[in-house]
Short mmCIF file of all heavy atoms in Angstrom, two decimals:
data_model
loop_
_atom_site.label_atom_id
_atom_site.label_comp_id
_atom_site.label_asym_id
_atom_site.label_seq_id
_atom_site.Cartn_x
_atom_site.Cartn_y
_atom_site.Cartn_z
N LEU A 242 0.82 -1.21 0.00
CA LEU A 242 0.00 0.00 0.00
C LEU A 242 0.85 1.26 0.00
O LEU A 242 0.33 2.37 0.02
CB LEU A 242 -0.92 0.01 1.23
CG LEU A 242 -1.89 -1.17 1.35
CD1 LEU A 242 -2.67 -1.07 2.66
CD2 LEU A 242 -2.83 -1.22 0.15
N THR A 243 2.20 1.09 -0.05
CA THR A 243 3.05 2.28 0.03
C THR A 243 2.99 3.11 -1.24
O THR A 243 3.27 4.30 -1.21
CB THR A 243 4.51 1.88 0.31
OG1 THR A 243 4.94 0.97 -0.72
CG2 THR A 243 4.63 1.21 1.67
N LYS A 244 2.63 2.50 -2.36
CA LYS A 244 2.46 3.27 -3.59
C LYS A 244 1.59 2.48 -4.56
O LYS A 244 1.55 1.24 -4.52
CB LYS A 244 3.80 3.61 -4.23
CG LYS A 244 4.66 2.43 -4.62
CD LYS A 244 5.84 2.92 -5.42
CE LYS A 244 7.14 2.29 -4.98
NZ LYS A 244 8.28 2.68 -5.80
N ASP A 245 0.91 3.21 -5.43
CA ASP A 245 0.10 2.58 -6.46
C ASP A 245 1.00 2.06 -7.56
O ASP A 245 1.90 2.78 -8.03
CB ASP A 245 -0.91 3.58 -7.04
CG ASP A 245 -1.97 3.97 -6.03
OD1 ASP A 245 -2.28 3.14 -5.15
OD2 ASP A 245 -2.47 5.11 -6.12
N MET A 246 0.77 0.84 -8.00
CA MET A 246 1.56 0.28 -9.09
C MET A 246 0.74 -0.76 -9.84
O MET A 246 -0.16 -1.37 -9.26
CB MET A 246 2.88 -0.31 -8.58
CG MET A 246 2.74 -1.35 -7.49
SD MET A 246 4.34 -2.07 -7.01
CE MET A 246 5.23 -0.63 -6.42
N PRO A 247 1.04 -0.95 -11.12
CA PRO A 247 0.26 -1.90 -11.92
C PRO A 247 0.69 -3.34 -11.74
O PRO A 247 0.03 -4.24 -12.26
CB PRO A 247 0.54 -1.43 -13.36
CG PRO A 247 1.93 -0.88 -13.29
CD PRO A 247 2.05 -0.24 -11.94
N TRP A 248 1.77 -3.58 -11.01
CA TRP A 248 2.38 -4.90 -10.99
C TRP A 248 1.62 -5.86 -10.07
O TRP A 248 1.21 -5.51 -8.98
CB TRP A 248 3.83 -4.79 -10.53
CG TRP A 248 4.59 -3.76 -11.28
CD1 TRP A 248 4.89 -2.50 -10.87
CD2 TRP A 248 5.11 -3.89 -12.60
NE1 TRP A 248 5.58 -1.84 -11.84
CE2 TRP A 248 5.73 -2.67 -12.92
CE3 TRP A 248 5.13 -4.92 -13.54
CZ2 TRP A 248 6.36 -2.44 -14.13
CZ3 TRP A 248 5.75 -4.70 -14.76
CH2 TRP A 248 6.35 -3.48 -15.04
N ARG A 249 1.51 -7.10 -10.52
CA ARG A 249 0.99 -8.16 -9.68
C ARG A 249 2.06 -8.56 -8.67
O ARG A 249 3.26 -8.43 -8.94
CB ARG A 249 0.64 -9.39 -10.52
CG ARG A 249 -0.49 -9.18 -11.51
CD ARG A 249 -0.58 -10.38 -12.44
NE ARG A 249 -1.75 -10.36 -13.29
CZ ARG A 249 -1.93 -11.18 -14.32
NH1 ARG A 249 -1.00 -12.08 -14.62
NH2 ARG A 249 -3.02 -11.11 -15.06
N PRO A 250 1.67 -9.06 -7.50
CA PRO A 250 2.69 -9.51 -6.54
C PRO A 250 3.57 -10.60 -7.15
O PRO A 250 3.09 -11.51 -7.83
CB PRO A 250 1.86 -10.05 -5.38
CG PRO A 250 0.56 -9.31 -5.47
CD PRO A 250 0.30 -9.12 -6.93
N GLN A 251 4.86 -10.51 -6.87
CA GLN A 251 5.79 -11.50 -7.40
C GLN A 251 5.64 -12.83 -6.68
O GLN A 251 5.82 -13.90 -7.29
CB GLN A 251 7.23 -10.99 -7.22
CG GLN A 251 7.55 -9.69 -7.93
CD GLN A 251 7.91 -9.91 -9.39
OE1 GLN A 251 7.67 -10.98 -9.95
NE2 GLN A 251 8.48 -8.89 -10.01
N GLY A 252 5.34 -12.78 -5.39
CA GLY A 252 5.25 -14.02 -4.63
C GLY A 252 6.63 -14.62 -4.41
O GLY A 252 7.64 -14.18 -4.97
N LEU A 253 6.67 -15.65 -3.59
CA LEU A 253 7.94 -16.29 -3.28
C LEU A 253 8.50 -17.06 -4.47
O LEU A 253 9.72 -17.23 -4.59
CB LEU A 253 7.77 -17.23 -2.08
CG LEU A 253 7.49 -16.52 -0.75
CD1 LEU A 253 7.09 -17.52 0.32
CD2 LEU A 253 8.71 -15.71 -0.30
N ASP A 254 7.62 -17.54 -5.37
CA ASP A 254 8.12 -18.29 -6.52
C ASP A 254 8.93 -17.38 -7.44
O ASP A 254 10.05 -17.73 -7.85
CB ASP A 254 6.97 -18.97 -7.27
CG ASP A 254 5.90 -17.99 -7.72
OD1 ASP A 254 5.73 -16.92 -7.10
OD2 ASP A 254 5.19 -18.31 -8.71
N ASN A 255 8.41 -16.20 -7.77
CA ASN A 255 9.18 -15.30 -8.62
C ASN A 255 10.43 -14.78 -7.91
O ASN A 255 11.47 -14.59 -8.53
CB ASN A 255 8.31 -14.11 -9.06
CG ASN A 255 7.51 -14.42 -10.32
OD1 ASN A 255 7.34 -15.59 -10.67
ND2 ASN A 255 7.01 -13.40 -10.98
N LEU A 256 10.33 -14.54 -6.60
CA LEU A 256 11.50 -14.08 -5.86
C LEU A 256 12.61 -15.12 -5.94
O LEU A 256 13.78 -14.78 -6.19
CB LEU A 256 11.13 -13.80 -4.41
CG LEU A 256 12.28 -13.38 -3.49
CD1 LEU A 256 12.94 -12.10 -3.98
CD2 LEU A 256 11.78 -13.21 -2.05
N ALA A 257 12.28 -16.39 -5.74
CA ALA A 257 13.29 -17.45 -5.85
C ALA A 257 13.87 -17.51 -7.25
O ALA A 257 15.08 -17.74 -7.44
CB ALA A 257 12.68 -18.79 -5.46
N TRP A 258 13.02 -17.30 -8.26
CA TRP A 258 13.50 -17.31 -9.65
C TRP A 258 14.44 -16.13 -9.88
O TRP A 258 15.50 -16.28 -10.50
CB TRP A 258 12.30 -17.25 -10.60
CG TRP A 258 12.63 -17.54 -12.03
CD1 TRP A 258 12.63 -18.76 -12.65
CD2 TRP A 258 13.00 -16.58 -13.03
NE1 TRP A 258 12.97 -18.62 -13.97
CE2 TRP A 258 13.20 -17.29 -14.23
CE3 TRP A 258 13.18 -15.20 -13.04
CZ2 TRP A 258 13.58 -16.68 -15.42
CZ3 TRP A 258 13.57 -14.57 -14.22
CH2 TRP A 258 13.76 -15.30 -15.39
N TRP A 259 14.09 -14.94 -9.39
CA TRP A 259 14.94 -13.74 -9.53
C TRP A 259 16.33 -14.02 -8.93
O TRP A 259 17.34 -13.72 -9.54
CB TRP A 259 14.30 -12.57 -8.81
CG TRP A 259 13.87 -11.40 -9.63
CD1 TRP A 259 14.42 -10.15 -9.62
CD2 TRP A 259 12.77 -11.33 -10.56
NE1 TRP A 259 13.74 -9.31 -10.47
CE2 TRP A 259 12.72 -10.02 -11.07
CE3 TRP A 259 11.84 -12.26 -11.01
CZ2 TRP A 259 11.77 -9.60 -11.99
CZ3 TRP A 259 10.89 -11.85 -11.94
CH2 TRP A 259 10.86 -10.55 -12.41
N VAL A 260 16.34 -14.56 -7.70
CA VAL A 260 17.61 -14.82 -7.02
C VAL A 260 18.47 -15.75 -7.86
O VAL A 260 19.68 -15.56 -7.98
CB VAL A 260 17.35 -15.40 -5.63
CG1 VAL A 260 18.63 -15.94 -5.00
CG2 VAL A 260 16.71 -14.35 -4.72
N HIS A 261 17.86 -16.77 -8.43
CA HIS A 261 18.59 -17.77 -9.21
C HIS A 261 19.07 -17.22 -10.55
O HIS A 261 20.16 -17.60 -11.02
CB HIS A 261 17.67 -18.98 -9.44
CG HIS A 261 18.33 -20.12 -10.16
ND1 HIS A 261 19.31 -20.90 -9.59
CD2 HIS A 261 18.14 -20.61 -11.42
CE1 HIS A 261 19.70 -21.82 -10.46
NE2 HIS A 261 19.01 -21.65 -11.58
N MET A 262 18.29 -16.32 -11.15
CA MET A 262 18.53 -15.94 -12.54
C MET A 262 19.11 -14.54 -12.75
O MET A 262 19.58 -14.23 -13.84
CB MET A 262 17.20 -16.01 -13.32
CG MET A 262 16.60 -17.40 -13.40
SD MET A 262 17.55 -18.54 -14.43
CE MET A 262 17.31 -17.81 -16.05
N ALA A 263 19.09 -13.70 -11.75
CA ALA A 263 19.34 -12.27 -11.98
C ALA A 263 20.76 -11.95 -12.41
O ALA A 263 21.00 -10.96 -13.10
CB ALA A 263 18.99 -11.47 -10.73
N GLY A 264 21.74 -12.75 -11.99
CA GLY A 264 23.11 -12.37 -12.29
C GLY A 264 23.57 -11.18 -11.48
O GLY A 264 24.52 -10.49 -11.85
N ALA A 265 22.89 -10.89 -10.40
CA ALA A 265 23.21 -9.80 -9.47
C ALA A 265 22.54 -10.13 -8.16
O ALA A 265 21.58 -10.91 -8.11
CB ALA A 265 22.70 -8.47 -10.01
N PRO A 266 23.02 -9.58 -7.04
CA PRO A 266 22.31 -9.78 -5.78
C PRO A 266 20.88 -9.26 -5.89
O PRO A 266 20.62 -8.27 -6.58
CB PRO A 266 23.13 -8.95 -4.79
CG PRO A 266 24.49 -8.85 -5.40
CD PRO A 266 24.26 -8.79 -6.88
N VAL A 267 19.97 -9.90 -5.21
CA VAL A 267 18.55 -9.55 -5.28
C VAL A 267 18.08 -9.14 -3.89
O VAL A 267 18.40 -9.79 -2.89
CB VAL A 267 17.71 -10.72 -5.81
CG1 VAL A 267 16.22 -10.45 -5.65
CG2 VAL A 267 18.05 -10.97 -7.28
N VAL A 268 17.30 -8.07 -3.84
CA VAL A 268 16.69 -7.59 -2.61
C VAL A 268 15.18 -7.79 -2.71
O VAL A 268 14.58 -7.44 -3.73
CB VAL A 268 17.03 -6.11 -2.37
CG1 VAL A 268 16.13 -5.49 -1.32
CG2 VAL A 268 18.50 -5.97 -1.96
N ALA A 269 14.58 -8.36 -1.69
CA ALA A 269 13.12 -8.56 -1.66
C ALA A 269 12.47 -7.32 -1.08
O ALA A 269 12.88 -6.82 -0.03
CB ALA A 269 12.79 -9.77 -0.80
N ILE A 270 11.44 -6.83 -1.76
CA ILE A 270 10.77 -5.62 -1.31
C ILE A 270 9.29 -5.71 -1.62
O ILE A 270 8.88 -6.32 -2.61
CB ILE A 270 11.38 -4.36 -1.97
CG1 ILE A 270 10.82 -3.08 -1.37
CG2 ILE A 270 11.20 -4.39 -3.48
CD1 ILE A 270 11.55 -1.82 -1.79
N GLY A 271 8.48 -5.10 -0.76
CA GLY A 271 7.05 -4.98 -1.05
C GLY A 271 6.17 -5.85 -0.19
O GLY A 271 6.24 -7.08 -0.28
N GLY A 272 5.38 -5.22 0.70
CA GLY A 272 4.38 -5.93 1.46
C GLY A 272 4.92 -6.84 2.55
O GLY A 272 4.20 -7.73 3.01
N ILE A 273 6.16 -6.62 2.97
CA ILE A 273 6.75 -7.47 4.01
C ILE A 273 6.39 -6.86 5.36
O ILE A 273 7.02 -5.92 5.84
CB ILE A 273 8.27 -7.59 3.82
CG1 ILE A 273 8.56 -8.20 2.45
CG2 ILE A 273 8.90 -8.44 4.93
CD1 ILE A 273 10.03 -8.21 2.06
N LEU A 274 5.34 -7.41 5.97
CA LEU A 274 4.76 -6.85 7.19
C LEU A 274 4.84 -7.79 8.38
O LEU A 274 4.59 -7.37 9.52
CB LEU A 274 3.29 -6.48 6.93
CG LEU A 274 3.02 -5.48 5.80
CD1 LEU A 274 1.53 -5.34 5.57
CD2 LEU A 274 3.66 -4.14 6.11
N GLU A 275 5.15 -9.06 8.13
CA GLU A 275 5.18 -10.04 9.21
C GLU A 275 6.51 -10.78 9.18
O GLU A 275 7.14 -10.93 8.14
CB GLU A 275 4.04 -11.04 9.05
CG GLU A 275 2.65 -10.40 9.10
CD GLU A 275 1.55 -11.41 8.84
OE1 GLU A 275 1.88 -12.60 8.62
OE2 GLU A 275 0.37 -11.02 8.85
N HIS A 276 6.92 -11.26 10.36
CA HIS A 276 8.19 -11.97 10.46
C HIS A 276 8.22 -13.20 9.57
O HIS A 276 9.27 -13.53 9.00
CB HIS A 276 8.45 -12.36 11.91
CG HIS A 276 8.74 -11.18 12.80
ND1 HIS A 276 8.72 -11.26 14.18
CD2 HIS A 276 9.04 -9.89 12.51
CE1 HIS A 276 9.01 -10.07 14.70
NE2 HIS A 276 9.20 -9.23 13.70
N ALA A 277 7.10 -13.89 9.46
CA ALA A 277 7.07 -15.10 8.62
C ALA A 277 7.38 -14.76 7.16
O ALA A 277 8.00 -15.56 6.45
CB ALA A 277 5.70 -15.78 8.72
N GLN A 278 6.95 -13.57 6.71
CA GLN A 278 7.25 -13.16 5.35
C GLN A 278 8.74 -12.90 5.18
O GLN A 278 9.35 -13.30 4.18
CB GLN A 278 6.45 -11.90 4.99
CG GLN A 278 4.95 -12.12 4.90
CD GLN A 278 4.21 -10.80 4.73
OE1 GLN A 278 4.42 -9.87 5.50
NE2 GLN A 278 3.36 -10.74 3.72
N ALA A 279 9.35 -12.21 6.14
CA ALA A 279 10.79 -11.95 6.07
C ALA A 279 11.57 -13.25 6.10
O ALA A 279 12.57 -13.41 5.37
CB ALA A 279 11.21 -11.05 7.23
#
């Protein structure tokens, strides 16, 4: 809710894919409000 954006949530599946494929360190951001999410 911090800003309006057209993007669908990436979810943990896309985050894991980003980490594996990015060729750069990846930072997780967006909607992380609970310890279980972190």
Side-chain angles (χ1 to χ4, degrees):
L242 301 176
T243 57
K244 60 171 135 176
D245 292 331
M246 55 177 61
W248 310 100
R249 295 170 172 169
Q251 300 277 15
L253 292 170
D254 56 334
N255 274 18
L256 177 60
W258 192 90
W259 244 248
V260 169
H261 183 70
M262 297 291 293
V267 170
V268 165
I270 188 170
I273 300 173
L274 301 174
E275 299 176 0
H276 291 166
Q278 292 172 309

